[in-house]
Amino acid sequence: MKILPVICAVLAFTACKQHKASNPVVIELTYQQSDIQNQFDTLYNYQQADSGVYNGLIEQALATCHDSTGGRDTITQDVFSSMYYNLRSKRYDCTTTTVFQLPDGSISAIGSFNLMPGDTIAPDHDFPITGGAGAYHHIAGTYTRKYRDGVYHVTLRYYKTEE
């Protein structure tokens, strides 16, 4: 009968060890159009599906982000998006990889969204954080980006996973 309390203790310890941190780390950043240092759109084979609508686009941009607490050094956001025009939905299907370079490492996220031809700003989105390097090795979480009144608002919410 003494084995039952030992099994319960082991199960409780295992369950606690696998549980995610209840309070994730949150980094809040902002940037504006003027903070985007490099940006280019490449037309996919310059083929038009319709007037002003191309079969695909590849976009890359690098932006300097500002920490809302003022406590961090320069943080950059490097974005790479591939966009292909979907003839059925009449929208671009976009896949985006975003990497945030912080002084002590990097955080990356990947996600997808749809964009109407003519739109120049991606819709608000929540992408899963897919990894990190340096101090952000073994993390998981969410990258959220919202655009309001000319300002991009970014929230990186993450927790450490088991190593």
Side-chain angles (χ1 to χ4, degrees):
M1 284 304 198
K2 291 186 179 185
I3 199 156
L4 186 60
V6 171
I7 291 173
C8 289
V10 168
L11 288 174
F13 176 74
T14 303
C16 290
K17 186 172 174 134
Q18 292 177 350
H19 184 69
K20 296 187 244 183
S22 58
N23 295 320
V25 176
V26 177
I27 300 172
E28 293 185 351
L29 309 168
T30 60
Y31 65 96
Q32 298 178 19
Q33 193 68 30
S34 60
D35 293 316
I36 299 175
Q37 299 170 0
N38 297 317
Q39 180 177 347
F40 67 85
D41 293 329
T42 304
L43 298 176
Y44 179 69
N45 291 332
Y46 300 97
Q47 296 175 2
Q48 287 189 307
D50 200 355
S51 178
V53 177
Y54 293 89
N55 287 342
L57 301 167
I58 297 174
E59 177 187 47
Q60 188 167 9
L62 178 68
T64 300
C65 299
H66 309 282
D67 186 353
S68 63
T69 65
R72 297 184 193 272
D73 293 331
T74 301
I75 298 169
T76 58
Q77 177 185 14
D78 188 1
V79 178
F80 180 83
S81 296
S82 60
M83 304 175 228
Y84 298 94
Y85 188 65
N86 184 324
L87 292 170
R88 178 173 285 163
S89 68
K90 305 290 188 209
R91 296 178 179 208
Y92 288 104
D93 294 333
C94 306
T95 301
T96 298
T97 301
T98 303
V99 178
F100 292 90
Q101 296 291 336
L102 295 94
D104 54 350
S106 64
I107 297 173
S108 60
I110 297 175
S112 62
F113 57 89
N114 298 107
L115 190 65
M116 292 295 297
D119 286 354
T120 58
I121 297 174
D124 293 350
H125 49 264
D126 293 306
F127 291 166
I129 291 175
T130 55
Y136 308 98
H137 191 63
H138 293 295
I139 66 167
T142 306
Y143 150 55
T144 301
R145 206 248 28 221
K146 296 181 180 193
Y147 182 77
R148 300 286 181 270
D149 301 321
V151 178
Y152 297 90
H153 299 271
V154 172
T155 302
L156 301 171
R157 186 178 316 272
Y158 68 90
Y159 57 90
K160 283 283 198 179
T161 59
E162 289 294 318
E163 296 184 21

